Structures are given as C-alpha cells and as structure tokens.
Amino acid sequence: MTEKIAVKKLNDKAIIPTYGTEFSAGADIYACLQEPVTIGPGEAYMVHTGIAVEIPVGYAGLIYARSGMAVKRGLAPSNKVGVIDADYRGEIMVQLFNQSKQPQTIEPGERIAQMVVTPFLKVLWEECGELSETVRGAGGFGSTGKN
C-alpha cells in the first residue's frame, strides 16, 4: 500500500525524504545545514531538515535513529522517538545527541534520522476497579524470560 504525503520545502537546500531500499519501513530524513556542524561528546544539537509534512489523520510520523549512525557514530535523536502529529505543519527538526566519546560532524545533506508513517488507535481511557487476569499478571521487567 502506498500513500501520498504532502511535503513542503522550507529551504531550497532541503531534501525530500527517500527510502534506501524497496522494502525500507523508514524514509531517510536529511540535514538542512549551511555548513558542517560538530557535536561534542555528551552534547546535543537541533538539526534543521528544511521540510514540513502533512501526515494524514489517523497516522503519525515517528522519527527514529538511523541504525548505522547510532551504532557506528553514537548519534541518535535525544528523545529516542519523535512523534509528528497529523495537525503539525511546522519544520521537522531532529535533536541529535552524541553518546560517543568522540566529536561527530554532521554534513549538509547528510541522512540524520528516519521517519516511519504508521496508523495509530485513538482510545477512550475508561477507569475501572479491576483488570482482567492473565498468566503474566503484574510481572514486570524480565518476568517473561529466564534471566
């Protein structure tokens, strides 16, 4: 299934999101910078993308780290997963955090994150006195594994 998403360039140097392969779930999001930016160890920097998008009602754009950038360079979104709501029309920006021990430089036009557009459920939260029983019950972190 393919949906069309309206994308507005807010800067002439902005790059429209692209998919790396035919079966990629996430579309690459690009840095829209005038010049390279270096992010020191333990520092964060808000990276402009130069684009705004029109997410359809009932969907959200989820901004995730690019796995290669996170694993090889230690750069990932500060908030781990960003959420672009259907009614947001401003510029998409990604605050990258450098969790490595080395300064990392972002180049203009570099792929900095990926966006997955996904449907979601809007629910009515209903308070109750009891929840249904399950085998797991209230078992928390690690309760379903052996370790």
Side-chain angles (χ1 to χ4, degrees):
M1 184 170 93
T2 303
E3 294 283 331
K4 289 185 180 178
I5 301 283
V7 180
K8 180 180 180 182
K9 280 188 168 187
L10 305 173
N11 183 306
D12 289 341
K13 295 183 180 191
I15 301 171
I16 302 295
T18 62
Y19 290 97
T21 70
E22 179 183 2
F23 299 110
S24 295
D28 291 325
I29 304 296
Y30 296 83
C32 186
L33 302 169
Q34 297 300 317
E35 57 189 31
V37 171
T38 299
I39 306 170
E43 294 180 350
Y45 183 82
M46 188 70 75
V47 182
H48 289 264
T49 67
I51 62 168
V53 298
E54 188 172 330
I55 303 292
V57 173
Y59 290 78
L62 303 179
I63 306 294
Y64 293 102
R66 293 191 67 251
S67 58
M69 182 175 259
V71 172
K72 295 175 184 175
R73 296 176 56 195
L75 290 172
S78 295
N79 61 340
K80 306 306 179 205
V81 178
V83 178
I84 310 299
D85 297 312
D87 57 351
Y88 178 67
R89 295 294 184 270
E91 180 180 10
I92 294 174
M93 295 176 62
V94 179
Q95 183 169 315
L96 289 179
F97 178 74
N98 181 358
Q99 54 198 355
S100 79
K101 295 181 180 176
Q102 305 296 325
Q104 299 294 328
T105 300
I106 304 298
E107 299 290 337
E110 184 173 353
R111 298 176 296 167
I112 57 165
Q114 59 182 322
M115 182 189 311
V116 175
V117 178
T118 186
F120 67 88
L121 294 175
K122 187 83 169 200
V123 299
L124 176 62
W125 299 96
E126 185 176 277
E127 185 178 356
C128 66
E130 296 293 325
L131 299 175
S132 63
E133 296 290 326
T134 67
V135 173
R136 181 177 183 178
F141 296 107
S143 66
T144 61
K146 294 185 180 192
N147 294 334

